[in-house]
């Protein structure tokens, strides 16, 4: 049985997941918790290679099925070599994106069947699910604008606005389906306000 806790950060492009990851890590460490910070796709050498393939704008056209399978292949490595060992040690895992992103991007964005994603989720994860998910939500255009100022667009970020609207809707649907686990954080506010909401959500979880 895992002894640590598994927290995931989710949301569309540029909503502030990476920015707030360090903030949450510091907050947990102040509470004497050992934190492993990681991300998806990625987190192990092989999974990081798969991430490069997935994000590369200049790769051959990747079919929707190949994309879905690459994401779950990376996840299988990540779970086996990073997430499960950390949780077994009693560390907490803070992960930038996980399977809710697959429901949002491949399910919502690419229209892949939810039942297919669920089948792969069960195969790859067994009983492993996040204990807490912080879903950063902001209007699509605002997130893309923020992402644009940070770096050049990758293969996903180069999609049409309608794709990201579908992603956002699918994320919010996940939050409706799992209100106990998924806490929606309004991410269109100034950073300090976002962080005070985060402290409230994590403080409640800690208690
Ligand atoms: N993917 C992933 C799938 O399709 N399926 C899956 O199952 C998984 C796991 C990964 C891509 O892979 C896809 C989805 C993704 O497209 P990624 O790098 O993890 O890519 O995700 P991105 O969303 O591209 O990451 P970003 O770095 O763009 O977004 P973040 O992390 O949400 O945003 P962040 O923190 O870098 O902030 C962006 C900018 O905004 C500023 C920051 O300073 C930064 O400059 N900012 C704010 N400015 C004002 N006010 C605030 N409150 C701000 N918060 C942040």
């Amino acid at each position: 049985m895992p002894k640590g806790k598994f927290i995931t950060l989710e949301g569309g492009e540029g909503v502030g997941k990476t920015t707030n990851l360090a903030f949450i890590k510091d907050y947990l460490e102040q509470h004497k918790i050992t934190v492993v910070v990681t991300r998806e796709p990625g987190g192990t050498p092989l999974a990081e290679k798969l991430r490069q393939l997935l994000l590369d704008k200049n790769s051959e056209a990747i079919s929707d099925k190949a994309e879905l399978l690459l994401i779950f292949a990376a996840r299988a490595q990540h779970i086996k070599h990073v997430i499960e060992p950390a949780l077994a040690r009693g560390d907490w895992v803070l992960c930038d994106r996980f399977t809710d992103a697959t429901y949002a991007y491949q399910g919502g964005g690419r229209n892949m069947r939810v039942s297919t994603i669920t089948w792969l989720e069960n195969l790859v994860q067994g009983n492993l699910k996040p204990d807490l998910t912080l879903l950063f939500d902001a209007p699509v255009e605002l997130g893309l604008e923020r992402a644009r100022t940070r770096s050049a667009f990758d293969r996903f970020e180069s999609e049409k606005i309608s794709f990201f609207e579908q992603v956002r809707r699918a994320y919010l649907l996940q939050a409706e389906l799992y209100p106990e686990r998924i806490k929606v954080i309004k991410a269109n506010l100034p950073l300090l306000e976002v962080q005070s909401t985060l402290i409230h959500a994590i403080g409640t979880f800690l208690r």
Side-chain angles (χ1 to χ4, degrees):
M1 283 296 280
K3 292 180 284 172
K5 298 285 179 201
F6 183 25
I7 300 180
T8 57
L9 277 66
E10 294 282 2
E13 308 296 318
V15 288
K17 299 175 300 298
T18 312
T19 306
N20 287 297
L21 207 67
F23 174 79
I24 297 170
K25 177 176 186 277
D26 287 350
Y27 181 78
L28 292 174
E29 285 176 348
Q30 281 164 23
H31 287 79
K32 313 275 178 246
I33 293 167
T34 305
V35 183
V36 172
V37 172
T38 186
R39 68 174 180 181
E40 289 218 348
T44 78
L46 175 59
E48 287 291 330
K49 282 187 189 160
L50 294 175
R51 177 190 176 92
Q52 278 172 20
L53 294 175
L54 282 160
L55 298 194
D56 181 7
K57 232 180 8 186
N58 303 312
S59 65
E60 69 184 61
I62 301 179
S63 78
D64 293 351
K65 284 181 189 165
E67 181 180 285
L68 180 67
L69 292 170
L70 285 170
I71 284 168
F72 270 107
R75 183 163 297 142
Q77 285 297 108
H78 190 209
I79 289 170
K80 180 163 174 57
H81 294 295
V82 176
I83 298 175
E84 283 182 342
L87 294 176
R89 285 194 304 271
D91 296 349
W92 286 34
V93 175
L94 201 49
C95 189
D96 194 341
R97 295 190 186 278
F98 195 61
T99 308
D100 291 305
T102 315
Y103 283 100
Y105 282 78
Q106 283 62 52
R110 304 272 193 238
N111 285 313
M112 300 288 293
R113 278 196 194 158
V114 168
S115 57
T116 307
I117 298 173
T118 304
W119 189 86
L120 287 165
E121 179 184 28
N122 290 334
L123 173 77
V124 167
Q125 293 170 222
N127 292 328
L128 178 72
K129 294 261 170 31
D131 296 293
L132 172 69
T133 297
L134 300 162
L135 171 56
F136 292 76
D137 180 60
V140 165
E141 307 239 2
L142 175 69
L144 286 174
E145 191 49 44
R146 284 185 190 163
R148 188 176 292 120
T149 56
R150 188 218 48 206
S151 62
F153 277 178
D154 62 33
R155 194 174 67 84
F156 286 103
E157 288 163 340
S158 308
E159 290 288 344
K160 295 195 202 97
I161 293 282
S162 58
F163 174 88
F164 297 109
E165 296 289 2
Q166 286 166 224
V167 167
R168 186 180 182 200
R169 274 198 294 278
Y171 263 133
L172 291 172
L173 177 63
Q174 285 290 99
E176 267 177 45
L177 290 173
Y178 305 105
E180 287 302 309
R181 170 174 67 86
I182 303 181
K183 303 298 167 204
V184 180
I185 307 291
K186 271 193 180 182
N188 55 338
L189 304 173
L191 196 52
L192 283 178
E193 287 183 42
V194 173
Q195 292 177 340
S196 95
T197 321
L198 282 173
I199 287 179
H200 182 262
I202 299 165
T204 306
F205 179 73
L206 283 171
R207 282 193 292 277

